[in-house]
Every structure is written in C-alpha cells, then in structure tokens.
Amino acid sequence: MSFAAVLLCGGRSTRMGCDKAFIDWQGRPLWQVQLDKLQQLGPERLLISCRAEQKVGQVFNLSSIASECVFDPPEADDGPLGAITRCLELVQMPLLVLAVDMPWMTVEFLRDHILPGGFFRGPHGFETLCAVYRPDMLPAMQGALRERRLALQRVVEESHPVIHEITTDQSPWFQNANTPAELAR
C-alpha cells in the first residue's frame, strides 16, 4: 500500500515545560527517534508537522533525512485536527500519523497493527495521534475545522472506522509523555 507519514511536533508542550520534540530520549532528541520509526516503514512521503518558530528546518537538518515540513499557520490555533488535515490535503493518500510524544510506540506495532487501517480505541476514546487517516475523511475534517469543532474524537467517530479495542498488552505503546513524570516512568 502506498502511504505517507507525518510526525506531529507542533504542540506547545505546556505541561512538559519545554518543547517535547527536543527532549532527550535514550541519548537522542525525541523527534529523531520518532522520525526514524516512520522512515523504517518506507512511506512514499515523510512529513513533519510543526510550528515555524520551532526552526525545524535548521535544527532537524531535513536535507539529510528526505522529509518535508508542513508549518502550522501562525494565525491558526486548530490543534492536531488542523495539522492532520493540512497534511492529508497535501499528500492525498493514506496518512500515517504519529505524535512525537509517544516514545514507546514501536516500528513493529506501527507496521503490523496501525498501517493496516482502522482506529484503536481505549478507555479514553480513539487513539487519534497514532492512526492512519484516509483521504475520504477530508470533507468531514475540513467541515469540522470550518465549524471550529476541533475534537478529533468526533471526526473519527463520524468516519465510521474499523475499530480495534486496545488490549492490556497493547496499551503501553499508546502512552503519551505529556509531563516530566510521565516521561520518567
């Protein structure tokens, strides 16, 4: 299957207290660890979604990793829905989304469970930041943006996806590191 992949790095990281993309994870910046996972899957296009002020092009040395930056518009405060919509509009093919703050996600799980499609759902709802978005979801996503309904949960639900319930064994891979305490565990 042809697909594109995007690493979401544009969050403000307010609970972490510093930009999560640049946190050290086992001796490397977290963005690099996550981007390497996506590269190993062989996407047709590899994107990084971020804010322009993060200076990603300079810091990430994108010329050496064959990636494209998709910047959040400065006036937009549309969160992950806006970022994913912009990337999906750009690539017009299935888009694997991975958040920078999911360091426990593995290449194997992405390849064997996420790429085949559908959305994983746990006790708190759909895992919207580690999933494959289809181009046929664009009209609902664009409509939600226009109406400022920015919750991805509802957009995913309205797309009637194949749903995979997260098992106890799978839940560690979906953990986010939003605070220093969560990162340390």
Side-chain angles (χ1 to χ4, degrees), residues 2-73:
S2 288
F3 71 97
V6 61
L7 179 62
L8 295 180
C9 295
R12 302 241 179 242
S13 304
T14 53
R15 290 180 283 173
M16 185 62 77
C18 62
D19 192 332
K20 288 186 260 188
F22 299 98
I23 287 175
D24 180 77
W25 181 259
Q26 300 173 348
R28 296 172 45 204
L30 192 50
W31 71 267
Q32 189 177 39
V33 171
Q34 297 296 79
L35 195 66
D36 285 351
K37 292 174 188 177
L38 294 176
Q39 280 182 304
Q40 290 178 50
L41 297 168
E44 192 170 308
R45 292 177 74 179
L46 183 56
L47 310 174
I48 298 174
S49 176
C50 58
R51 297 180 324 278
E53 67 265 17
Q54 287 176 289
K55 307 282 190 228
V56 172
Q58 296 162 359
V59 177
F60 291 178
N61 190 16
L62 294 180
S63 60
S64 68
I65 54 177
S67 300
E68 306 169 54
C69 274
V70 179
F71 294 114
D72 296 338

Side-chain angles (χ1 to χ4, degrees), residues 20-179:
K20 288 186 260 188
F22 299 98
I23 287 175
D24 180 77
W25 181 259
Q26 300 173 348
R28 296 172 45 204
L30 192 50
W31 71 267
Q32 189 177 39
V33 171
Q34 297 296 79
L35 195 66
D36 285 351
K37 292 174 188 177
L38 294 176
Q39 280 182 304
Q40 290 178 50
L41 297 168
E44 192 170 308
R45 292 177 74 179
L46 183 56
L47 310 174
I48 298 174
S49 176
C50 58
R51 297 180 324 278
E53 67 265 17
Q54 287 176 289
K55 307 282 190 228
V56 172
Q58 296 162 359
V59 177
F60 291 178
N61 190 16
L62 294 180
S63 60
S64 68
I65 54 177
S67 300
E68 306 169 54
C69 274
V70 179
F71 294 114
D72 296 338
E75 70 283 353
D77 189 17
D78 49 17
L81 175 60
I84 296 167
T85 301
R86 283 185 286 280
C87 292
L88 195 53
E89 288 169 340
L90 180 66
V91 299
Q92 294 291 317
M93 67 176 62
L95 178 67
L96 170 62
V97 171
L98 179 62
V100 74
D101 65 358
M102 295 180 95
W104 297 280
M105 182 53 65
T106 67
V107 173
E108 294 76 23
F109 194 84
L110 289 167
R111 181 188 59 240
D112 299 340
H113 299 282
I114 303 296
L115 270 177
F119 280 79
F120 278 79
R121 182 172 60 188
H124 304 291
F126 293 108
E127 290 293 341
T128 58
L129 302 183
C130 183
V132 174
Y133 287 78
R134 304 176 320 269
D136 66 348
M137 296 174 72
L138 268 173
M141 295 168 76
Q142 293 162 332
L145 277 174
R146 276 191 304 278
E147 296 167 13
R148 300 297 296 163
R149 291 183 293 113
L150 303 179
L152 275 166
Q153 294 291 319
R154 182 138 182 205
V155 172
V156 170
E157 188 175 296
E158 290 171 358
S159 74
H160 306 289
V162 172
I163 298 171
H164 308 284
E165 298 295 340
I166 297 174
T167 66
T168 304
D169 293 345
Q170 296 169 336
S171 63
W173 291 301
F174 289 99
Q175 297 298 310
N176 293 89
N178 290 310
T179 66

